[in-house]
């Protein structure tokens, strides 16, 4: 009888494995993929096979969701998502806000903003919303002044005052950490600064405030936000387990939860 029960238990376990629903979620490596991998077992217990697909750019994860190649992605903030939809005619929506990664101005050549020389070169992201976000940060730091009305889509052409006559290099966001040795400063996204060993609080010359509207979200194609698997994913991420992990892994505020 014991042998029969054991065989039955094995068969039941095998059936539950094969019955799992696959959930493909695209993410940039750190901290997004890291956080997703943390909840894989939690979702497996609910019959969901979370498959984390890593991307190193900001375009293909959205292309993949729109095309239905993956079910969701986790890497971007709301202004970027909205700008992407407008530019591409996509139908991506915010399923849940998870965390903020403060932007910061970094430099390997000076220790404080006042030491930036005239005509210093600053590298900034070349995608629309992150470029505007970088320029708004530099304005907040007192380095430039933007034209009235210039917002998250600002470009260097919208600079009204530039006392230090700073020069700007528009670079793909993922490449910004590697430019530090070649420029006087660089405004770097958190998910690229962190893997490069940069801490906004410790290394940043100027850091975005904690009230940042640039919350990183779980994005899905419109109509999929109420799927049970997506709801389960959000519940798993918005947990004390994840909150504890983030507070311990990023004690200097490189990643700040919003739940």
């Amino acid at each position: 009888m014991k042998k029969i029960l054991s065989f039955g238990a094995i068969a039941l376990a095998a059936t539950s494995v094969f019955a799992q629903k696959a959930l493909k979620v695209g993410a940039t490596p750190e901290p997004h993929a890291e956080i997703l991998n943390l909840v894989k077992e939690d979702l497996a217990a609910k019959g969901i096979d979370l498959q984390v697909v890593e991307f190193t750019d900001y375009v293909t994860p959205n292309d993949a969701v729109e095309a239905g190649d993956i079910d969701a992605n986790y890497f971007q903030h709301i202004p970027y998502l909205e700008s992407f939809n407008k530019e591409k005619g996509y139908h991506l929506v915010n399923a849940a806000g998870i965390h903020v990664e403060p932007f910061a101005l970094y430099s390997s050549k000076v220790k404080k903003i006042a030491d930036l020389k005239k005509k210093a070169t600053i590298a900034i992201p070349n995608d629309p919303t992150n470029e505007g976000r970088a320029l708004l940060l530099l304005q907040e730091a007192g380095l430039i002044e933007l034209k009235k009305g210039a917002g998250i889509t600002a470009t260097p052409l919208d600079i009204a005052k530039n006392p230090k006559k700073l020069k700007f290099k528009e670079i793909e966001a993922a490449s910004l950490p590697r430019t530090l040795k070649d420029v006087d400063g660089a405004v770097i996204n958190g998910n690229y600064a962190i893997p490069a060993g940069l801490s906004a609080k410790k290394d940043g010359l100027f850091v975005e405030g904690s009230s940042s509207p640039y919350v990183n979200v779980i994005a899905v194609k419109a109509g999929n936000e109420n799927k049970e698997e997506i709801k389960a994913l959000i519940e798993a991420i918005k947990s004390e387990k994840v909150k504890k992990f983030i507070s311990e892994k990023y004690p200097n505020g490189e990643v700040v939860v919003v739940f």
Side-chain angles (χ1 to χ4, degrees):
M1 178 64 75
K2 287 183 180 179
K3 288 183 179 179
I4 294 173
L5 286 174
S6 297
F7 179 78
I10 292 170
L12 181 61
T15 301
S16 65
V17 170
F18 287 116
Q20 283 196 331
K21 293 181 179 178
L23 180 65
K24 293 184 179 180
V25 182
T28 44
E30 191 177 359
H32 306 84
E34 188 176 46
I35 292 169
L36 289 172
N37 283 317
L38 188 69
V39 301
K40 284 185 78 167
E41 289 185 5
D42 303 304
L43 289 170
K46 295 182 178 181
I48 299 170
D49 175 23
L50 176 60
Q51 299 172 14
V52 181
V53 183
E54 291 195 11
F55 294 89
T56 57
D57 70 284
Y58 287 168
V59 176
T60 49
N62 278 343
D63 290 342
V65 171
E66 181 71 17
D69 296 329
I70 59 176
D71 302 292
N73 66 44
Y74 176 33
F75 77 94
Q76 67 192 316
H77 52 64
I78 297 170
Y80 182 81
L81 183 150
E82 291 175 344
S83 173
F84 206 96
N85 277 341
K86 186 176 180 180
E87 180 186 346
K88 297 271 193 175
Y90 281 4
H91 311 85
L92 308 178
V93 297
N94 163 25
I98 308 299
H99 74 267
V100 172
E101 296 166 24
F103 245 34
L105 170 64
Y106 299 92
S107 175
S108 62
K109 297 181 180 177
V110 300
K111 296 296 182 183
K112 54 184 186 291
I113 285 181
D115 293 336
L116 282 172
K117 296 178 181 179
K118 282 200 171 185
K119 297 185 179 180
T121 299
I122 307 295
I124 58 177
N126 67 356
D127 59 273
T129 52
N130 283 309
E131 181 171 55
R133 183 183 180 187
L135 292 172
L136 288 168
L137 178 74
L138 295 176
Q139 176 173 253
E140 189 180 351
L143 288 170
I144 61 171
E145 185 177 318
L146 296 170
K147 294 175 183 176
K148 189 175 181 180
I152 62 171
T153 58
T155 74
L157 295 175
D158 294 304
I159 296 173
K161 293 182 181 179
N162 185 1
K164 286 182 177 282
K165 300 189 186 305
L166 299 175
K167 299 175 183 178
F168 296 93
K169 277 191 174 181
E170 297 164 288
I171 308 277
E172 184 186 4
S175 300
L176 284 166
R178 296 194 294 274
T179 69
L180 277 174
K181 64 183 184 299
D182 301 316
V183 297
D184 299 291
V187 183
I188 305 176
N189 305 57
N191 60 322
Y192 292 129
I194 294 167
L198 297 169
S199 163
K201 187 175 181 180
K202 291 193 298 182
D203 305 312
L205 299 185
F206 192 83
V207 184
E208 196 172 50
S210 59
S211 60
S212 167
Y214 296 90
V215 178
N216 280 217
V217 303
I218 301 294
V220 299
K221 193 166 185 178
N224 293 336
E225 60 269 34
N226 292 317
K227 281 190 172 182
E228 290 304 315
E229 304 95 288
I230 298 298
K231 286 183 176 180
L233 171 67
I234 293 166
E235 182 182 359
I237 293 178
K238 287 187 171 185
S239 64
E240 286 302 315
K241 174 182 177 179
V242 169
K243 189 178 287 188
K244 183 174 183 289
F245 168 78
I246 289 175
S247 67
E248 291 177 353
K249 179 74 186 284
Y250 304 107
N252 295 309
E254 298 93 337
V255 179
V256 181
V257 297
V258 297
F259 56 85

